[in-house]
Amino acid sequence: MPQPKKTIPPAAPEKKPEPNKTLELVRRLTQTVGPSGYEHHAALAAQAELAKHADEVRIDKVGSAVALKRGCQKGPLRKKILLAAHVDEIGLLVTRIEPGGFLRFTEIGGFDTRVLLGQEVWVHPVSRHGVATELKYPGIIGAKPPHFQSREESDSVIPLEDLYIDVGMDAGTARQRITVGDIATIRAPMVLLKNDRAAGKAMDDRACVAVMVQALEHLRKVNHSWDVYAVATVQEEEGWGCLGALTSTYNVRPDIGIAIDGTHADMPVAAEHETFALGKGPTIAMGPNLHPAVVERLKQTARDQEIPWQLEPVAGVTGTDAMDIQVALEGVPAGLVSPPMRYMHTPVETIAAADIDRAGRLLARFIQDLDDIKLEWQD
Ligand SMILES: [Zn+2]
């Protein structure tokens, strides 16, 4: 008798993993264009996300996106806290169009020039209002191939002056469509890694704009008395100062200002004492740039709420918005909270969603408990 054929049950359809909400927010914020001085689109994206949880939003005179979430305090003398995360990214500026149609460029902010070679870029013509237009041209960054390099050249990093953007156009067409002063950004879609980690451009510091969005979202569900100004600040990467942090401190006149900016995460070739574990919580910085009462309260809040955190001692300037906040006006008590990021200032800056979530929760709870904070210096 013939054996009945065994039927194999059809395989269950593979379940698509739910996209991580935090990383989707980070993706929306990081994929917009916004090198320092040309942040308009990035600031609008930040404004749209902050607006979901704020009472008021606006773009200020220098281009920062300012969101206000009012506290429940009464009266005209209102206590205010400023949160600042910079919205600008590092980018490239076209300085010359060569006879062959190749574009020479310089950096806006400090790129790791070793990683520029072979990158795909978008070249964005800039409007007469100084805004990157919707129009963009694909290009790649080329340089002399190893075959033509002297021994000395192949042993050293190719200097920025020897790199160029190839947009595939002849000089005539390139000069018609692109002008000196237009900008370029690295074309790097966000890559999802395992364990809710992600890599991409502009994580520094738009992942921290996401922290502010989350902090406001938490605060919507609770009572808090202080007014909260969350500002996506412009022009932090310039190197000469943190323009958006400075101007918004004057504008808001806060009682406390907290910068949120990435710190270096652990990676194989970096010294352990200079980096912080990715995925083990944001760092709370301490040192001369930060007010001890703010630092202490942040630490206490993290402990009380059982939020994983790491202590980051910074002996000198922090190189963040906290520098300008601290010395603006008659001086503002400053704090700094930093999610660790790997490969800073490359197109694959890497974050862990958990650190972004924890930083958002930490700031929300810190703000909720501000009523009894004492900022006077004491023994
Ligand atoms: Zn930064």
Side-chain angles (χ1 to χ4, degrees):
M1 233 180 125
Q3 292 285 316
K5 260 194 187 159
K6 267 191 191 155
T7 52
I8 303 165
E14 209 172 292
K15 251 201 183 160
K16 249 192 161 180
E18 285 277 304
N20 179 295
K21 215 178 123 222
T22 302
L23 294 181
E24 287 312 307
L25 168 63
V26 169
R27 188 200 298 275
R28 292 195 294 279
L29 291 165
T30 54
Q31 286 302 299
T32 55
V33 180
S36 315
Y38 304 87
E39 295 95 340
H40 191 62
H41 294 290
L44 287 180
Q47 179 180 243
E49 298 297 341
L50 291 164
K52 293 175 186 172
H53 314 292
D55 298 313
E56 283 171 26
V57 288
R58 65 192 163 86
I59 301 290
D60 73 9
K61 286 181 187 168
V62 292
S64 299
V66 183
L68 163 61
K69 174 150 188 347
R70 271 192 210 89
C72 56
Q73 62 194 319
K74 300 269 180 288
L77 275 178
R78 302 185 71 83
K79 291 278 196 183
K80 292 173 270 187
I81 180 166
L82 170 77
L83 303 179
H86 67 91
V87 77
D88 58 325
E89 64 182 308
I90 48 180
L92 307 170
L93 185 73
V94 177
T95 54
R96 204 168 49 175
I97 300 173
E98 300 265 304
F102 303 106
L103 314 178
R104 295 287 182 170
F105 60 86
T106 188
E107 317 162 279
I108 301 172
F111 255 111
D112 179 347
T113 41
R114 291 169 311 163
V115 303
L116 284 176
L117 182 62
Q119 290 289 345
E120 296 175 33
V121 296
W122 288 117
V123 178
H124 311 269
V126 172
S127 76
R128 62 194 172 88
H129 304 294
V131 170
T133 55
E134 289 295 328
L135 192 68
K136 56 185 181 183
Y137 301 107
I140 52 92
I141 297 180
K144 191 157 69 167
H147 314 68
F148 301 149
Q149 291 172 9
S150 66
R151 181 76 187 267
E152 213 173 274
E153 282 174 323
S154 59
D155 283 350
S156 57
V157 177
I158 301 174
L160 192 69
E161 306 80 67
D162 291 351
L163 299 172
Y164 49 83
I165 299 171
D166 187 343
V167 281
M169 300 179 201
D170 58 48
T173 321
R175 288 202 179 103
Q176 264 175 14
R177 299 190 178 172
I178 298 164
T179 54
V180 166
D182 285 347
I183 56 166
T185 52
I186 303 292
R187 186 177 175 175
M190 193 179 86
V191 179
L192 289 177
L193 304 172
K194 287 291 177 198
N195 294 318
D196 284 333
R197 293 176 176 186
K201 74 168 185 91
M203 293 293 187
D204 171 19
D205 190 31
R206 298 199 202 134
C208 296
V209 174
V211 169
M212 295 196 301
V213 173
Q214 292 197 335
L216 292 192
E217 188 176 0
H218 287 302
L219 286 170
R220 228 172 37 158
K221 298 167 204 151
V222 295
N223 269 338
H224 63 95
S225 59
W226 285 42
D227 290 346
V228 185
Y229 289 81
V231 184
T233 57
V234 294
Q235 298 192 41
E236 190 271 356
E237 295 289 4
E238 297 279 356
W240 55 267
C242 305
L243 179 72
L246 183 66
T247 50
S248 46
T249 307
Y250 276 92
N251 192 253
V252 171
R253 306 190 70 85
D255 297 279
I256 292 177
I258 296 193
I260 310 124
D261 203 343
T263 190
H264 295 286
D266 53 348
M267 59 196 113
V269 286
E272 210 174 295
H273 67 276
E274 284 173 343
T275 57
F276 299 88
L278 185 66
K280 297 266 170 72
T283 68
I284 296 170
M286 59 168 296
N289 189 185
L290 297 321
H291 193 289
V294 175
V295 174
E296 204 42 49
R297 180 58 75 88
L298 282 167
K299 284 157 61 177
Q300 195 56 48
T301 307
R303 281 191 212 108
D304 292 349
Q305 299 301 311
E306 296 181 10
I307 297 168
W309 63 284
Q310 309 176 62
L311 183 66
E312 178 165 4
V314 187
V317 289
T318 57
T320 67
D321 279 352
M323 296 188 306
D324 289 75
I325 292 172
Q326 184 190 28
V327 295
L329 301 164
E330 62 273 27
V332 175
L336 173 60
V337 170
S338 305
M341 296 181 188
R342 284 184 182 151
Y343 325 121
M344 201 94 81
H345 288 203
T346 75
V348 289
E349 292 170 341
T350 300
I351 57 154
D355 293 337
I356 306 305
D357 295 340
R358 288 158 175 161
R361 264 200 304 136
L362 171 65
L363 288 171
R365 189 64 207 212
F366 172 86
I367 291 166
Q368 203 187 330
D369 294 342
L370 273 175
D371 280 339
D372 63 347
I373 193 164
K374 288 193 176 54
L375 297 165
E376 298 79 35
W377 289 86
Q378 45 193 300
D379 288 336

